[in-house]
């Protein structure tokens, strides 16, 4: 890892992306050829599959490769030398899986707290946004980000402004992240929206029961499902990949209060 200003060090996915870009520039992979499977790249460089996925998204965003679901990653062009401006652009971004990890840690506890603190009005607002999303999916309406609204309403249901501000900040980072936008473009389909709707309904059901641990587990599993769906876009010839940041149901020493 290169040293520099704290918080501005080159991230692992950027280093792997630069290595792959250099290999393509050196002629190891011709235009139209397929890169090695993600598992092979991960083992070669000693990193997780999520890091490799973020590196490939960086290369896709700059037009060097094309990630094709159920097919692989293909070289689209020979990259030119990256400019200082491009380096700063990617260095300022946070990897999408890193953001998901932060969300999973934070929002699971928010859901648990909301199960204790949510008012009747909060429950009704959450129910209303899920009904709105159900109708939007039926007519393929993508004009509203009901996913975002649900998570912000849930944070607001804790009655804690700092928690709401924190979740709002994370979502703002989502919206301003080129890597996240590139990743999300692969899953903007009706089937995935239906999956997230089902997850959200499970979370809301736990809130209605005032089930603190149930709400925690439902949110944890929802974001685990999101990661799983994003990682499914990896190589079709390696369906049994690893790369999860957490186990689906972590083991705790004590109880959530």
């Amino acid at each position: 890892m290169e040293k520099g200003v704290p918080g501005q060090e080159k991230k692992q996915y950027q280093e792997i992306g630069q290595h792959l870009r250099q290999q393509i520039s050196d002629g190891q992979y011709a235009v139209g050829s397929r890169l090695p499977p993600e598992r092979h790249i991960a083992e070669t460089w000693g990193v997780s599959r999520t890091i490799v996925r973020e590196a490939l998204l960086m290369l896709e965003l700059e037009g060097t490769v094309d990630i094709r679901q159920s097919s692989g990653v293909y070289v689209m062009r020979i990259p030119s030398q990256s400019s200082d401006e491009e380096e700063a652009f990617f260095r300022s971004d946070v990897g999408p899986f890193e953001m998901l990890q932060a969300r999973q840690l934070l929002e699971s506890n928010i859901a648990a707290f909301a199960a204790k603190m949510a008012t009747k009005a909060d429950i009704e607002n959450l129910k209303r946004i899920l009904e709105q999303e159900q109708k939007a999916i039926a007519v393929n309406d993508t004009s509203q980000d009901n996913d975002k609204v649900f998570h912000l309403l849930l944070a607001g249901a804790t009655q804690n402004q700092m928690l709401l501000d924190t979740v709002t900040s994370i979502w703002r980072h989502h919206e301003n992240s080129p890597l996240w936008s590139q990743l999300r473009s692969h899953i903007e389909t009706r089937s995935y929206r239906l999956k997230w709707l089902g997850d959200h309904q499970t979370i809301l059901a736990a809130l209605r029961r005032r089930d603190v641990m149930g709400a925690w587990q439902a949110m944890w599993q929802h974001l685990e499902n999101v990661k799983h769906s994003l990682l499914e876009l990896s190589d079709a010839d390696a369906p049994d990949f690893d790369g999860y940041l957490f186990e689906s149901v972590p083991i705790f020493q004590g109880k959530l209060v």
Side-chain angles (χ1 to χ4, degrees):
M1 186 75 70
E2 294 183 358
K3 300 297 182 181
V5 178
Q8 294 297 314
E9 294 88 354
K10 196 171 295 180
K11 299 179 177 67
Q12 275 190 307
Y13 79 84
Q14 295 165 344
E15 293 182 343
I16 301 305
Q18 285 187 332
H19 285 306
L20 292 171
R21 185 194 292 124
Q22 189 62 51
Q23 289 179 334
I24 295 171
S25 296
D26 292 344
Q28 293 187 41
Y29 305 104
V31 172
S33 66
R34 180 181 174 183
L35 292 184
E38 289 180 3
R39 179 181 293 279
H40 175 78
I41 297 173
E43 291 174 350
T44 298
W45 298 106
V47 297
S48 71
R49 292 282 297 270
T50 56
I51 295 297
V52 174
R53 164 59 50 170
E54 288 170 346
L56 293 172
L57 284 168
M58 183 181 80
L59 295 181
E60 184 181 48
L61 189 62
E62 67 185 29
T64 299
V65 303
D66 182 31
I67 301 173
R68 303 174 189 172
Q69 189 170 2
S70 302
S71 180
V73 181
Y74 294 84
V75 177
M76 300 302 292
R77 69 177 180 88
I78 302 299
S80 56
Q81 189 68 28
S82 296
S83 66
D84 291 340
E85 184 177 340
E86 286 176 320
E87 289 295 332
F89 172 74
F90 285 110
R91 190 169 297 188
S92 65
D93 200 6
V94 175
F97 291 100
E98 187 175 352
M99 279 193 280
L100 277 174
Q101 183 184 51
R103 286 187 59 196
Q104 193 171 40
L105 287 167
L106 176 65
E107 292 191 57
S108 297
N109 287 287
I110 282 176
F113 192 39
K116 295 178 66 174
M117 302 298 295
T119 65
K120 183 177 180 180
D122 291 325
I123 298 296
E124 286 302 312
N125 286 334
L126 288 164
K127 177 175 177 287
R128 189 177 303 112
I129 200 66
L130 292 188
E131 291 173 345
Q132 183 174 308
E133 173 66 357
Q134 192 167 27
K135 292 175 182 177
I137 293 173
V139 296
N140 198 29
D141 178 7
T142 59
S143 61
Q144 300 294 324
D145 194 346
N146 295 317
D147 179 31
K148 171 185 174 181
V149 174
F150 177 85
H151 284 272
L152 293 183
L153 285 174
L154 184 64
T158 62
Q159 318 306 323
N160 184 305
Q161 186 63 44
M162 183 57 70
L163 290 176
L164 175 57
D165 289 348
T166 301
V167 174
T168 300
S169 176
I170 291 175
W171 276 92
R172 189 177 298 118
H173 208 122
H174 269 311
E175 293 167 342
N176 294 330
S177 167
L179 286 175
W180 176 259
S181 297
Q182 190 71 16
L183 185 57
R184 188 169 179 175
S185 69
H186 289 284
I187 60 166
E188 286 295 295
T189 65
R190 184 173 182 273
S191 62
Y192 284 117
R193 289 178 70 187
L194 284 170
K195 284 184 181 181
W196 312 153
L197 176 61
D199 287 351
H200 289 170
Q201 288 170 335
T202 301
I203 295 167
L204 179 56
L207 261 64
R208 281 176 150 167
R209 298 192 307 268
R210 300 294 180 183
D211 182 353
V212 173
M213 204 58 214
W216 188 96
Q217 290 174 333
M219 178 61 80
W220 184 278
Q221 189 59 53
H222 166 51
L223 292 171
E224 192 75 12
N225 292 343
V226 173
K227 286 187 293 186
H228 180 76
S229 296
L230 296 176
L231 287 166
E232 276 180 345
L233 300 171
S234 299
D235 303 310
D237 61 328
D240 57 337
F241 54 78
D242 51 12
Y244 289 102
L245 296 172
F246 300 98
E247 295 295 333
S248 294
V249 183
I251 298 174
F252 284 89
Q253 296 296 324
K255 293 182 178 180
L256 181 64
V257 178

